[in-house]
Amino acid sequence: MSGIVESAGTEEAPTGQNRTVRSALLDAALEVFTERGYAEAGLAEIAARSGIPVGSLFQHYGGKRGLYLALWEEFREEQERRTAATLTAERGRGVDDPIALFVAGARAYLEGAWANRRFGRLLVEDDGPTGFDALRRQWDRAWVRRNARLLEVDEKRRAGRVRVRVLTTVIGGAARELGDCGDETEAQEIVDEVCGILIHLSAPPG
């Protein structure tokens, strides 16, 4: 885990009723953020849709910023779990080629972006809380480093770093496009197309 997201609200074990309250607040927040944008979203409307008092919202998340960051953390962690599980499964099948593993992880990430496209569409708008761009850039840098290790690229070589950054940018751009897909068939076509591009671009020169 990159651990880049700030703590939002008080720290409580998300179990039982506490988990139900948090889930209801996050679901309502995602609805309101995607409909109105972060800047125009109101805490009163989020609380009303969730059926949870505004006071409880502040207790759990500290306000609108905390809700947004919690949604981002949930999205990020789910994507990391999905790709890690895929890589573990591929290695368990005996796959050890770095490019094959990288492309399998990219496919898992893109399929996760489609599955979580509501939040993905929100990210495309670049309408988040103050300071979120810096947090996201920090995570992006960590993502590039993980991809470099997966591809066994020497990060001390500028050419290698640039290649990995380009590949990671391709995945990120495709994930944003998936948010606008009309149906699963179109989304799968994009995933397949991008994975083919990644196979071609991943091959080292020479």
Side-chain angles (χ1 to χ4, degrees):
M1 310 302 289
S2 58
I4 67 169
V5 177
E6 303 166 357
S7 175
T10 58
E11 293 296 328
E12 300 177 20
T15 58
Q17 184 178 6
N18 186 45
R19 175 176 293 174
T20 301
V21 169
R22 287 177 179 245
S23 178
L25 286 168
L26 289 180
D27 287 346
L30 182 56
E31 285 183 4
V32 177
F33 287 156
T34 52
E35 289 175 14
R36 307 194 185 285
Y38 177 81
E40 298 300 320
L43 290 178
E45 183 175 5
I46 293 172
R49 291 202 193 188
S50 69
I52 307 297
V54 174
S56 291
L57 186 158
F58 277 100
Q59 178 185 356
H60 287 286
Y61 293 108
K64 191 163 68 169
R65 174 184 172 82
L67 284 165
Y68 190 99
L69 293 180
L71 285 168
W72 163 247
E73 178 80 350
E74 189 176 79
F75 174 80
R76 182 182 66 81
E77 288 186 348
E78 172 58 29
Q79 287 291 75
E80 290 183 0
R81 281 193 297 268
R82 182 186 290 265
T83 54
T86 295
L87 293 177
T88 297
E90 290 297 296
R91 289 179 173 123
R93 294 194 306 108
V95 177
D96 58 6
D97 176 67
I99 294 176
L101 289 171
F102 172 73
V103 173
R107 179 178 291 277
Y109 183 91
L110 292 171
E111 289 174 349
W114 165 250
N116 296 287
R117 56 194 175 278
R118 280 203 304 164
F119 187 70
R121 283 194 289 267
L122 182 62
L123 290 175
V124 170
E125 298 301 321
D126 292 325
D127 178 23
T130 301
F132 177 69
D133 284 346
L135 293 174
R136 191 171 179 183
R137 285 194 298 271
Q138 185 178 343
W139 184 82
D140 285 346
R141 288 193 294 270
W143 188 17
V144 171
R145 290 193 296 271
R146 288 196 299 272
N147 285 340
R149 289 193 296 270
L150 187 59
L151 285 165
E152 300 179 0
V153 169
D154 184 358
E155 295 181 69
K156 296 179 181 178
R157 295 182 60 252
R158 185 180 298 275
R161 291 200 307 272
V162 169
R163 180 159 59 93
V164 176
R165 184 170 295 279
V166 168
L167 291 168
T168 304
T169 300
V170 169
I171 299 171
R176 288 190 290 273
E177 289 295 326
L178 286 168
D180 289 328
C181 285
D183 54 47
E184 188 170 0
T185 299
E186 183 182 26
Q188 193 59 55
E189 288 176 356
I190 290 176
V191 172
D192 291 342
E193 180 73 17
V194 171
C195 287
I197 292 170
L198 292 174
I199 291 171
H200 175 71
L201 295 178
S202 296

Coordinates of all heavy atoms in Angstrom, one line a residue, residues 128-167:
G128 N -11.7 17.8 -7.4 CA -11.6 17.2 -6.1 C -11.2 18.2 -5.0 O -11.1 19.4 -5.3
P129 N -11.0 17.8 -3.8 CA -10.6 18.7 -2.8 C -9.2 19.3 -3.0 O -8.4 18.7 -3.7 CB -10.7 17.8 -1.5 CG -10.5 16.4 -2.0 CD -11.1 16.4 -3.4
T130 N -9.0 20.4 -2.3 CA -7.6 21.0 -2.4 C -6.6 20.0 -1.9 O -6.7 19.4 -0.9 CB -7.6 22.3 -1.5 OG1 -8.6 23.2 -1.9 CG2 -6.3 22.9 -1.5
G131 N -5.5 19.9 -2.7 CA -4.4 19.1 -2.3 C -4.5 17.7 -2.9 O -3.6 16.9 -2.8
F132 N -5.7 17.3 -3.5 CA -5.8 16.0 -4.0 C -4.9 15.7 -5.1 O -4.4 14.5 -5.3 CB -7.3 15.7 -4.4 CG -7.5 14.3 -4.9 CD1 -7.4 13.2 -4.1 CD2 -7.8 14.2 -6.3 CE1 -7.6 11.9 -4.7 CE2 -8.0 12.9 -6.8 CZ -7.9 11.8 -6.0
D133 N -4.7 16.6 -6.0 CA -3.8 16.4 -7.1 C -2.4 16.0 -6.7 O -1.8 15.1 -7.3 CB -3.7 17.7 -8.0 CG -4.9 17.9 -8.8 OD1 -5.7 17.0 -9.0 OD2 -5.1 19.0 -9.4
A134 N -1.9 16.6 -5.6 CA -0.6 16.2 -5.1 C -0.6 14.7 -4.6 O 0.3 14.0 -4.8 CB -0.2 17.1 -4.0
L135 N -1.7 14.4 -3.9 CA -1.8 13.0 -3.4 C -1.8 12.0 -4.5 O -1.2 11.0 -4.5 CB -3.1 12.8 -2.5 CG -3.1 13.6 -1.2 CD1 -4.5 13.5 -0.6 CD2 -2.1 13.1 -0.3
R136 N -2.6 12.4 -5.6 CA -2.7 11.5 -6.7 C -1.4 11.4 -7.5 O -1.0 10.3 -7.9 CB -3.8 12.0 -7.7 CG -4.2 11.0 -8.7 CD -5.4 11.5 -9.5 NE -5.7 10.5 -10.5 CZ -6.7 10.7 -11.4 NH1 -7.5 11.8 -11.3 NH2 -7.0 9.8 -12.3
R137 N -0.7 12.5 -7.6 CA 0.7 12.4 -8.3 C 1.6 11.5 -7.5 O 2.4 10.8 -8.1 CB 1.2 13.8 -8.4 CG 0.6 14.6 -9.5 CD 1.4 15.8 -9.9 NE 1.6 16.7 -8.7 CZ 0.7 17.7 -8.5 NH1 -0.3 17.9 -9.2 NH2 0.9 18.5 -7.4
Q138 N 1.5 11.5 -6.2 CA 2.4 10.7 -5.3 C 2.1 9.2 -5.6 O 3.0 8.4 -5.7 CB 2.2 11.1 -3.8 CG 3.1 10.3 -2.9 CD 2.9 10.7 -1.5 OE1 2.3 11.8 -1.2 NE2 3.3 9.9 -0.5
W139 N 0.8 8.9 -5.6 CA 0.4 7.5 -5.9 C 0.8 7.1 -7.3 O 1.3 6.0 -7.5 CB -1.1 7.4 -5.8 CG -1.6 5.9 -5.9 CD1 -1.5 4.9 -5.0 CD2 -2.1 5.3 -7.2 NE1 -2.0 3.8 -5.6 CE2 -2.3 4.0 -6.9 CE3 -2.3 5.8 -8.4 CZ2 -2.8 3.1 -7.8 CZ3 -2.8 4.9 -9.4 CH2 -3.1 3.6 -9.1
D140 N 0.7 8.0 -8.3 CA 1.1 7.7 -9.7 C 2.6 7.4 -9.7 O 3.0 6.5 -10.5 CB 0.8 8.9 -10.6 CG -0.7 9.1 -10.9 OD1 -1.4 8.1 -10.7 OD2 -1.1 10.1 -11.4
R141 N 3.4 8.1 -9.0 CA 4.8 7.8 -9.0 C 5.1 6.5 -8.4 O 6.0 5.7 -8.9 CB 5.6 8.9 -8.2 CG 5.7 10.3 -8.9 CD 6.7 11.2 -8.3 NE 6.3 11.6 -6.9 CZ 5.5 12.7 -6.7 NH1 5.1 13.4 -7.6 NH2 5.2 13.0 -5.4
A142 N 4.4 6.1 -7.3 CA 4.5 4.8 -6.7 C 4.1 3.7 -7.7 O 4.7 2.6 -7.8 CB 3.7 4.7 -5.4
W143 N 3.0 4.0 -8.5 CA 2.5 3.0 -9.5 C 3.6 2.8 -10.6 O 3.9 1.7 -11.0 CB 1.3 3.6 -10.1 CG 0.5 2.7 -11.0 CD1 0.7 1.4 -11.2 CD2 -0.5 3.1 -12.0 NE1 -0.2 0.9 -12.1 CE2 -0.9 1.9 -12.6 CE3 -1.1 4.3 -12.3 CZ2 -1.9 1.9 -13.6 CZ3 -2.1 4.3 -13.2 CH2 -2.5 3.2 -13.9
V144 N 4.3 3.9 -11.0 CA 5.3 3.7 -12.0 C 6.5 2.9 -11.4 O 7.0 2.0 -12.1 CB 5.9 5.1 -12.4 CG1 7.1 5.0 -13.3 CG2 4.8 5.9 -13.2
R145 N 6.8 3.1 -10.2 CA 7.9 2.3 -9.6 C 7.5 0.8 -9.5 O 8.3 -0.1 -9.8 CB 8.3 2.8 -8.2 CG 9.0 4.2 -8.2 CD 9.6 4.5 -6.9 NE 8.6 4.7 -5.9 CZ 8.0 5.8 -5.6 NH1 8.3 6.9 -6.3 NH2 7.1 5.9 -4.6
R146 N 6.3 0.5 -9.1 CA 5.8 -0.9 -9.1 C 5.9 -1.5 -10.4 O 6.3 -2.7 -10.6 CB 4.4 -1.0 -8.5 CG 4.3 -0.7 -7.0 CD 3.0 -1.1 -6.4 NE 1.9 -0.5 -7.0 CZ 1.3 0.7 -6.6 NH1 1.9 1.3 -5.6 NH2 0.3 1.2 -7.2
N147 N 5.5 -0.8 -11.5 CA 5.5 -1.3 -12.8 C 6.9 -1.6 -13.3 O 7.2 -2.5 -14.0 CB 4.8 -0.4 -13.8 CG 3.3 -0.4 -13.6 OD1 2.7 -1.4 -13.1 ND2 2.6 0.6 -14.1
A148 N 7.8 -0.7 -12.9 CA 9.2 -0.9 -13.2 C 9.8 -2.2 -12.6 O 10.5 -2.9 -13.3 CB 10.1 0.3 -12.8
R149 N 9.4 -2.4 -11.4 CA 9.9 -3.6 -10.7 C 9.3 -4.9 -11.4 O 10.0 -5.9 -11.6 CB 9.6 -3.6 -9.3 CG 10.4 -2.6 -8.4 CD 10.3 -2.9 -7.0 NE 8.9 -2.7 -6.5 CZ 8.4 -1.5 -6.1 NH1 9.2 -0.4 -6.1 NH2 7.2 -1.4 -5.6
L150 N 8.0 -4.8 -11.8 CA 7.3 -5.9 -12.4 C 8.0 -6.2 -13.8 O 8.1 -7.4 -14.1 CB 5.8 -5.6 -12.6 CG 4.9 -6.7 -13.1 CD1 5.0 -7.9 -12.1 CD2 3.5 -6.2 -13.2
L151 N 8.3 -5.2 -14.5 CA 8.9 -5.3 -15.8 C 10.4 -5.6 -15.7 O 11.1 -5.7 -16.8 CB 8.6 -4.1 -16.7 CG 7.2 -4.0 -17.2 CD1 6.9 -2.6 -17.7 CD2 7.0 -5.0 -18.3
E152 N 11.0 -5.5 -14.5 CA 12.4 -5.7 -14.3 C 13.2 -4.7 -15.1 O 14.2 -5.1 -15.7 CB 12.8 -7.2 -14.7 CG 12.1 -8.2 -13.8 CD 12.5 -9.6 -14.2 OE1 13.3 -9.8 -15.1 OE2 11.9 -10.6 -13.5
V153 N 12.8 -3.5 -15.0 CA 13.5 -2.4 -15.7 C 14.4 -1.7 -14.7 O 14.1 -1.5 -13.6 CB 12.4 -1.3 -16.2 CG1 13.1 -0.1 -16.7 CG2 11.6 -1.9 -17.4
D154 N 15.6 -1.4 -15.2 CA 16.6 -0.7 -14.4 C 16.2 0.7 -14.2 O 16.2 1.5 -15.2 CB 18.0 -0.8 -15.0 CG 19.1 -0.2 -14.2 OD1 18.7 0.4 -13.1 OD2 20.2 -0.2 -14.6
E155 N 15.7 1.1 -13.1 CA 15.2 2.5 -12.8 C 16.3 3.5 -12.9 O 16.0 4.7 -12.9 CB 14.4 2.5 -11.5 CG 13.2 1.7 -11.5 CD 12.4 1.8 -10.2 OE1 11.9 2.9 -9.9 OE2 12.4 0.8 -9.4
K156 N 17.5 3.1 -12.8 CA 18.6 4.1 -12.9 C 18.9 4.6 -14.3 O 19.5 5.6 -14.5 CB 19.9 3.4 -12.3 CG 19.8 3.0 -10.9 CD 21.1 2.4 -10.4 CE 21.1 2.0 -8.9 NZ 22.3 1.3 -8.5
R157 N 18.3 3.8 -15.3 CA 18.5 4.2 -16.7 C 17.3 5.1 -17.1 O 16.1 4.7 -17.0 CB 18.6 3.0 -17.6 CG 19.8 2.1 -17.4 CD 19.9 1.0 -18.3 NE 19.9 1.4 -19.7 CZ 18.9 1.3 -20.6 NH1 17.8 0.8 -20.2 NH2 19.1 1.7 -21.8
R158 N 17.6 6.3 -17.6 CA 16.5 7.2 -17.9 C 15.6 6.6 -19.0 O 14.4 6.7 -18.9 CB 17.1 8.5 -18.4 CG 16.0 9.6 -18.7 CD 16.7 10.9 -19.2 NE 17.5 11.5 -18.2 CZ 17.1 12.3 -17.3 NH1 15.9 12.6 -17.1 NH2 18.0 12.8 -16.4
A159 N 16.2 5.9 -20.0 CA 15.3 5.4 -21.1 C 14.4 4.3 -20.5 O 13.2 4.3 -20.9 CB 16.2 4.7 -22.1
G160 N 14.8 3.5 -19.5 CA 13.9 2.6 -18.9 C 12.8 3.2 -18.1 O 11.7 2.8 -18.2
R161 N 13.1 4.3 -17.4 CA 12.1 5.0 -16.6 C 11.1 5.6 -17.5 O 9.9 5.6 -17.2 CB 12.8 6.1 -15.8 CG 13.7 5.6 -14.6 CD 13.9 6.7 -13.6 NE 14.4 7.9 -14.2 CZ 15.6 8.2 -14.3 NH1 16.6 7.4 -14.0 NH2 16.0 9.4 -14.8
V162 N 11.6 6.2 -18.6 CA 10.6 6.8 -19.6 C 9.7 5.8 -20.2 O 8.5 6.0 -20.3 CB 11.4 7.6 -20.7 CG1 10.4 8.0 -21.8 CG2 12.1 8.8 -20.1
R163 N 10.2 4.6 -20.5 CA 9.4 3.5 -21.1 C 8.3 3.1 -20.1 O 7.1 3.0 -20.5 CB 10.3 2.3 -21.5 CG 9.5 1.2 -22.1 CD 10.4 0.3 -22.9 NE 11.5 -0.3 -22.1 CZ 11.4 -1.5 -21.5 NH1 10.3 -2.2 -21.6 NH2 12.4 -2.0 -20.9
V164 N 8.7 2.9 -18.9 CA 7.7 2.5 -17.9 C 6.6 3.6 -17.7 O 5.4 3.4 -17.5 CB 8.3 2.1 -16.6 CG1 7.3 1.8 -15.5 CG2 9.3 0.9 -16.8
R165 N 7.1 4.9 -17.6 CA 6.1 6.0 -17.4 C 5.2 6.1 -18.6 O 4.0 6.3 -18.4 CB 6.9 7.3 -17.3 CG 6.0 8.5 -17.0 CD 6.8 9.7 -16.6 NE 7.6 9.5 -15.4 CZ 7.0 9.6 -14.2 NH1 5.8 9.9 -14.0 NH2 7.8 9.4 -13.1
V166 N 5.6 5.8 -19.8 CA 4.7 5.9 -21.0 C 3.7 4.7 -20.9 O 2.5 4.9 -21.1 CB 5.6 5.7 -22.3 CG1 4.6 5.4 -23.5 CG2 6.4 7.0 -22.6
L167 N 4.2 3.6 -20.5 CA 3.2 2.4 -20.4 C 2.2 2.7 -19.3 O 1.0 2.4 -19.5 CB 4.0 1.2 -20.0 CG 5.0 0.6 -21.1 CD1 5.9 -0.5 -20.5 CD2 4.1 0.0 -22.3

